[in-house]
Every structure is written in structure tokens, then in C-alpha cells.
Amino acid sequence: MRTNYSRLSKSNLLMKIIIFLLAPMVALCQNEAIIWKSGVNEITVPSYRPFISENFIEAIDDYSNYIALNQSCYHKIPIIDSSYSFQLRAPFCCSSIQLVDTAYSKRGEVYYFLGMYGRALADFNMACELDPTSGYFHNARGYLYLIQGDYEKAISDFSGVIKNSPEYFYSYVLRAEAYFLIEQYERCIEDLNIVISNKNDNVYDLHINRADCYVLEGYFKRAMSDYKKAIRLEPNNPLGYYRKGVLLEVMGLDSCDEYQKSCELGYDQGCEFYTTTKWFCE
């Protein structure tokens, strides 16, 4: 017979609540890492970064040479992923300014991958100056502001993209992340509501993120609903079970099954929490 969670010590439960509330922020800094070779040394970068290169330094040289030779429309714009690139062979292809803003943006991405954020920002600024209407350039610069902790500038960039292209839902997701980090949870929820209501797929993380905001605003029932939706969308993803388990414990309810399930699916923190509570579950 299961025992009521009121037997948990106050200090133990408080610690779990604190860990839970910090989890979304910590998750931003603990993405699974992979090693890429730059040709000079090995660089550890988060796995969500979208491009792979064998030689970062060569890519920087290619972009720099193109920028220096911006009057020609025949140069190849190299893309970091060697599987494709822009081939510009026709004299009417586009103006040199349009080519140069892309070169600045792509070189900025390489600098970003190398952790050279000052140079990356300078290149993104140039790209945005050359094409003030580009949602891609402003999102890239906004994301750089976001990871550097300059949240107001990040929000400004994302808001500008949303104003010009309200259908560009990724900007809402990034702005919601910024709002979360400055503790404006209601605004975070509003942005996530827009994306969730307009997307038919890939909304698992959005439900998790919105639930986290609901928890921090004290809307436990709404948070529970989102965690359950996330679990239905991805029943083999342990994070939904773990977050639901912590919320149940915060609410003074039985969280054993959720911790156990997240542990069985390989989530170490779920195993840790289950180990500390399973003696209540019998």
C-alpha cells in the first residue's frame, strides 16, 4: 500500500522543488555535446548546432575572400555543410549586396560555432544592416544575444521578425525562451500558445516548456494537462514522466510511477528521484 507523501521531509521536498524550477534553465546549458575538428584543434559544441565542417578556418577564409571580392556575381558562396553550396554563375543572379549579407551571416555562424561571439555579432550586425527585412539574419543575431544573456536585445530582434513575418513561428519559440529567462512567464505562455495552436507536429517540447511556465505561475492543473499531452505525443521520452512526477510530488500526490517510468527510459535524474522515494511506493 502506498504511503502519503506528507511523510517526506520538508527540506527534501523543498530541494526537489528548487531543482524542478531550475531544470528548464539548466537544460539550456547542458545540451548533449559532440566533437568537431576544426583543422586546428578539437572543439566541443552543442549537438543542436545545424552544420558540420571539417575545417572552420578554411570556411572563414572562403567567406572573407568572398566579402572582399563582393563586386563579382560568379563566386561560390560556401555553406558549412560540404554537401551543398550556392552556385552563382549567371550575371543577373542577384546584387552584390544580397550576396555579401549572406556571406556575413554564414561567416558569423562559423564564428559562433567557434565561440568567437564578438566577431559573430559583428558579422550578424552587418548582415542585418545590409538586409533589415531578413528574418533569418535577425533570428540568428537574436539567438546570439539570447545565449549571451542579453535578453532585451534578443526579444527586440525576435519581435521585429514577428512583426514583419507573423507566420515565422520559430521566432515565437525563441522569444518565449527569452521571456522565460527574465521570468515573464505569462508572456512566455502567450507566445507558446500561438505556436502550439498553429503547428501540427514537433510540439512535444512546446508542451513541456509551457507546462514549466504554468508551474512557475502556479497553474498546476494546466501544467499537468500539458505534461500529459507531451507524454501522449512521445510516450518513450522520459522527460515528460519526470516533470509530471515532480509536479505530483509538489502537489503532495503519488509520483512513484512517473519517476520509475522515467528511470526505466534511461533518465538518470528520474532514477535518482525514484531511488529516494520508492520506499513510499510499496
Side-chain angles (χ1 to χ4, degrees):
M1 185 173 182
R2 300 193 174 189
T3 307
N4 189 289
Y5 273 82
S6 61
R7 290 176 55 185
L8 278 172
S9 71
K10 290 184 178 180
S11 61
N12 188 23
L13 180 56
L14 179 60
M15 182 59 67
K16 290 191 174 187
I17 294 172
I18 292 172
I19 292 172
F20 170 71
L21 297 182
L22 289 177
M25 190 176 301
V26 172
L28 293 174
C29 306
Q30 294 183 339
N31 293 279
E32 181 183 357
I34 56 177
I35 303 296
W36 292 345
K37 293 184 178 179
S38 69
V40 177
N41 51 20
E42 290 189 342
I43 301 170
T44 303
V45 296
S47 61
Y48 58 73
R49 294 180 180 174
F51 304 114
I52 297 177
S53 173
E54 290 299 322
N55 196 325
F56 288 112
I57 306 305
E58 182 179 339
I60 291 173
D61 288 343
D62 286 343
Y63 291 129
S64 298
N65 289 338
Y66 182 80
I67 291 169
L69 299 171
N70 65 81
Q71 296 304 313
S72 172
C73 201
Y74 293 92
H75 281 272
K76 180 175 74 172
I77 293 286
I79 304 299
I80 302 171
D81 183 341
S82 59
S83 65
Y84 71 101
S85 60
F86 291 129
Q87 296 285 351
L88 305 173
R89 296 171 179 169
F92 55 83
C93 57
C94 50
S95 73
S96 61
I97 290 179
Q98 289 174 311
L99 301 182
V100 171
D101 60 27
T102 300
Y104 274 117
S105 174
K106 293 303 178 183
R107 190 176 68 177
E109 290 178 14
V110 182
Y111 284 137
Y112 162 72
F113 297 156
L114 293 172
M116 301 170 70
Y117 295 151
R119 292 189 178 185
L121 181 58
D123 275 355
F124 289 141
N125 284 337
M126 285 299 301
C128 291
E129 181 179 334
L130 290 169
D131 186 359
T133 65
S134 170
Y136 181 83
F137 298 159
H138 283 83
N139 260 353
R141 185 175 68 179
Y143 185 74
L144 183 58
Y145 283 138
L146 182 65
I147 65 172
Q148 290 186 291
D150 200 339
Y151 303 127
E152 295 300 333
K153 288 184 179 179
I155 289 170
S156 177
D157 265 339
F158 301 143
S159 297
V161 177
I162 290 169
K163 181 179 179 180
N164 293 323
S165 304
E167 74 285 355
Y168 200 171
F169 296 121
Y170 188 50
S171 297
Y172 290 97
V173 175
L174 291 173
R175 191 172 69 175
E177 191 170 302
Y179 281 140
F180 179 90
L181 292 170
I182 61 174
E183 301 181 5
Q184 293 189 21
Y185 305 121
E186 289 286 2
R187 289 188 173 183
C188 176
I189 292 167
E190 290 172 1
D191 276 353
L192 293 175
N193 286 344
I194 292 171
V195 184
I196 290 172
S197 63
N198 283 279
K199 286 175 64 68
N200 296 321
D201 57 359
N202 299 323
V203 293
Y204 172 88
D205 289 337
L206 303 182
H207 281 293
I208 292 289
N209 293 344
R210 187 172 68 178
D212 294 343
C213 290
Y214 280 143
V215 169
L216 291 161
E217 284 292 288
Y219 302 139
F220 289 172
K221 289 184 178 180
R222 295 180 186 179
M224 186 63 70
S225 176
D226 263 343
Y227 289 140
K228 289 179 179 179
K229 287 178 182 176
I231 290 170
R232 287 197 297 270
L233 288 168
E234 293 190 17
N236 293 320
N237 192 318
L239 184 60
Y241 297 99
Y242 168 72
R243 295 283 179 84
K244 179 185 174 187
V246 177
L247 179 56
L248 285 170
E249 190 169 358
V250 170
M251 297 169 68
L253 301 174
D254 187 344
S255 61
C256 293
D257 290 342
E258 281 66 35
Y259 287 154
Q260 183 177 13
K261 183 66 174 179
S262 68
C263 181
E264 291 172 353
L265 291 171
Y267 194 61
D268 291 341
Q269 200 163 0
C271 294
E272 179 183 346
F273 277 32
Y274 179 59
T275 300
T276 63
T277 58
K278 66 181 180 180
W279 59 285
F280 287 123
C281 303
E282 299 176 355

